[in-house]
Amino acid sequence: MRKYLQLIILSFLFCLIAPVSSLAQQGQTYESAIESGEEMLTKKEYISAKTYFEIALRLREEDAYATKKLNETLQLLREQMELQEAFFQKMDLGDRLFQQQKLEEALEAYNQALELIPTDNYTLSQAEKINDILREQKERIDGYNQSMELGENLLEQGRFEPALLQFEMAKNLFPERELPKQKIEETQQLLAGQIARENQFEALLEEASASFTRKDYAAAIEKYEQALLLFPEDAGTIQKLNETQALQEKAIRYEEVLGKADKLYTEQSFSDALAFYQQALDIWPEQPYPADMLNRINTMLNDTEFLNQEAFKELLAQANLQYDGEQFDLALESYNQALELKPSDEFTQSRIDELTALFDEQSRLEELEASYAKAMEAGESALNLQNYEDAIIALNLAITLKPDEIRPKTLLQEAEAAYAALNQQEENIALYQTTIEAA
């Protein structure tokens, strides 16, 4: 650009010293020269204006007006020369700064040059180039900042894939910067962890679904809770957990009532079982089992043979309770009633035979006891009356009736001793009489 400036100056000087004889030889008059000079002056073509005014002075030497116009033109030429010199200095500074990539400073120099000569195409094009570069750089910086900011926001939200895309875009805009690379590495690690969690999450949901299908609600709840530890805000899993917990509570109540119903049914308490099966059906109407059991029990309760069987069982249970309570007369009556409903029942018949034999034995014992008491009464009475022979007979009968009793044996010994003493006394009296008679 310095060489370009030098060429401009040389050309200008050449124009200043160029001969005017050729124009003068073209038949110019003073008036036409003045007119042409003023026209060129108006157009700011000062070199041409200078030439015309010089022609006018050749045609009319020392003409005051032509001299004035020539001096005025020379002054404007000097001012234009100074302006161009300042312009080229600014333009040359802009070129140097442009080469050094000091774009803002170069643009400022070009703009200062354009303030001097606004129409210079070269300076205008250079300024436009810098503006384009700065605009592109600004767009890159804005795009970079926007991508980095958006990436950070997405990263905080846990949206790692779109965040990674934004950091990649920022890296492509400024490959030399380290921050996007660091963020890419960080996001890739987080994304890998998220993918691992998602895989574990999906596996837990599959296990929970399988347990739910098997109606193992406790296991399903455990898996759903483990899944929510990985993604606590997953709405679908929260909903499934709530549904499963509700079903588990329902299943617990259902199983509890159904267990009581089955127990009563096993114990053949069909009327009570019927009520619990109905409760189970009310809790879970979709389950077919309670309805099937209700139909079965109702069918049984309307069957005559079954009713007889139930009545037999009730009588038998009652008889057994009476038997265990040693209410044998009532038990025998209940057993006989039960046998009427089921004549072939061997157990009932055996209990009847047992109780009949028991009552027969009891009757025999009562008769034995009465005979024993009578014999004892007679023996004791005779003993008291010192009717020892009758006492011995009665007491021997009592011992025969109850060999293990001690009292009849004791009384018998007493009676026999008294009888023997009596006999001895009678013998002594007889001997005495005989002796007295003999004496």
Side-chain angles (χ1 to χ4, degrees), residues 111-265:
N111 286 332
Q112 290 174 354
L114 288 171
E115 288 176 1
L116 299 173
I117 303 179
T119 59
D120 185 73
N121 291 330
Y122 173 80
T123 308
L124 286 170
S125 67
Q126 291 294 92
E128 185 176 357
K129 285 180 183 178
I130 293 176
N131 281 322
D132 290 340
I133 293 172
L134 290 175
R135 190 181 306 110
E136 180 184 353
Q137 285 185 351
K138 184 177 184 305
E139 289 175 357
R140 287 177 62 204
I141 292 172
D142 290 344
Y144 171 86
N145 292 334
Q146 183 178 0
S147 294
M148 289 298 293
E149 182 179 358
L150 183 56
E152 290 286 359
N153 292 335
L154 292 169
L155 196 62
E156 291 179 2
Q157 298 170 15
R159 300 170 60 188
F160 302 125
E161 290 187 0
L164 185 62
L165 178 62
Q166 293 299 323
F167 291 137
E168 290 283 359
M169 292 171 61
K171 175 190 170 186
N172 292 335
L173 290 171
F174 289 96
E176 70 280 1
R177 296 192 178 183
E178 291 297 322
L179 183 58
K181 299 175 185 177
Q182 295 172 1
K183 287 296 181 180
I184 288 171
E185 183 178 356
E186 176 186 347
T187 307
Q188 286 174 338
Q189 293 176 354
L190 293 172
L191 179 59
Q194 184 185 51
I195 291 173
R197 287 197 306 276
E198 287 176 351
N199 292 337
Q200 185 181 0
F201 179 77
E202 292 298 329
L204 287 169
L205 289 185
E206 290 180 3
E207 293 178 15
S209 178
S211 298
F212 184 90
T213 303
R214 296 193 305 269
K215 293 184 172 54
D216 187 357
Y217 300 121
I221 289 171
E222 180 182 0
K223 296 303 178 183
Y224 282 132
E225 289 176 343
Q226 290 177 2
L228 286 173
L229 291 176
L230 297 173
F231 294 99
E233 298 180 0
D234 187 75
T237 305
I238 293 173
Q239 181 180 356
K240 290 178 181 178
L241 175 61
N242 292 335
E243 291 174 356
T244 307
Q245 287 174 334
L247 281 173
Q248 185 190 35
E249 293 176 1
K250 183 177 180 180
I252 290 172
R253 288 187 290 112
Y254 172 79
E255 292 295 337
E256 181 180 355
V257 173
L258 193 64
K260 293 179 180 178
D262 287 340
K263 184 175 184 296
L264 290 168
Y265 181 83

